[in-house]
Amino acid sequence: MVEPGDTSSTSGGWMSHLVELRTRLMTVTIVVIVIFAVLAFFSDRLYSLLAEPMLAVLPPGSQLVAIDPLTPFSTPLRLALYLAIIAAAPVLLYQAWAFIAPGLYQREKRVAAPLLVSSMLLFYAGCAFAYFVLLPAMFKFLAITRPEGVAMMPDIARYLDFVAIIALASGFSFEVPIATIILVLLGWVTPKQLADARGYAIIAIFVIAMIITPGDGVSMIMMAIPMCVLYEAGILAARIIAPKSRDGSAGAPR
């Protein structure tokens, strides 16, 4: 029997949770290190693939440059580390799920698991969209609009930073359906309110797209269109997932 004021069981519970959390973090760290060790052997080739959208718009024979003497060595390894972290995301999500799942109700588990998987897939889709669609359009625009007499010779480290920012921005932008579903499940909005605010959402999406892209019409529209489609998909998914209100329409939990 636990005496009043006895915190030993509580302390033991906290310690067990901390030990479990440390174990799961160590698992994720080891996975990242292993993946990085593998990718490091191909880091130069990986960077060559990363540079292809830029090299495609440069004059024949052009190449990226390295301003710092260490960047030819460190930049491909940094890319390998970024890719290792992204590749280990499923392991991270699984470990996070395994840690919090015991404290969730059954209905919360049924909703949370698909949301975690969907968010990961959407993020990957956003990064792929940035590499295969958005970046080529952006670099083509930048190459066309450069002043006469100015040669494009990007530094490999700054190019990696630029691509990483665009890829992350595109990946998180593709999380629009997840954001709308979570807002509905939290009871902050209803699917009907999201649909009624469609006009304002489209304006906000185009503003975000303008910030992400260089501001040219082509790449901005290319970024905004999938976000608008994903916004509609989020409304549709929220109507399916959200509990039904008394009048039969999908609404916030009561």
Side-chain angles (χ1 to χ4, degrees), residues 149-252:
V150 175
M152 294 182 64
M153 302 176 62
D155 173 66
I156 60 173
R158 294 183 179 180
Y159 175 78
L160 173 59
D161 294 337
F162 178 81
V163 172
I165 291 173
I166 296 299
L168 286 176
S170 180
F172 285 120
S173 297
F174 271 52
E175 300 291 338
V176 170
I178 305 301
T180 57
I181 292 172
I182 291 176
L183 289 176
V184 171
L185 292 177
L186 290 176
W188 294 356
V189 294
T190 65
K192 185 178 185 304
Q193 290 173 330
L194 290 172
D196 293 340
R198 183 180 289 108
Y200 299 103
I202 292 175
I203 295 175
I205 286 172
F206 271 87
V207 171
I208 295 173
M210 183 177 62
I211 295 173
I212 295 175
T213 63
D216 65 297
V218 176
S219 59
M220 181 179 68
I221 293 175
M222 292 174 65
M223 182 75 257
I225 288 177
M227 291 178 65
C228 292
V229 173
L230 290 170
Y231 181 79
E232 295 296 330
I235 296 176
L236 179 61
R239 285 173 175 165
I240 296 174
I241 295 177
K244 300 293 182 179
S245 59
R246 291 182 180 178
D247 60 3
S249 60

Side-chain angles (χ1 to χ4, degrees), residues 31-94:
V31 171
V32 171
I33 292 174
V34 171
I35 297 176
F36 170 71
V38 174
L39 295 180
F41 286 102
F42 309 97
S43 58
D44 291 343
R45 176 57 181 162
L46 291 173
Y47 193 90
S48 297
L49 293 174
L50 184 74
E52 284 185 359
M54 172 59 76
L55 294 175
V57 302
L58 295 179
S62 300
Q63 56 186 355
L64 278 65
V65 299
I67 298 177
D68 191 300
L70 292 178
T71 52
F73 172 77
S74 61
T75 302
L77 290 179
R78 189 152 57 94
L79 171 62
L81 178 60
Y82 292 165
L83 294 177
I85 294 174
I86 294 175
V91 178
L92 173 62
L93 288 178
Y94 172 77

Side-chain angles (χ1 to χ4, degrees), residues 110-129:
R110 289 197 302 266
V111 174
L115 285 180
L116 287 174
V117 175
S118 299
S119 65
M120 179 189 66
L121 295 178
L122 286 171
F123 180 79
Y124 285 157
C127 292
F129 176 82

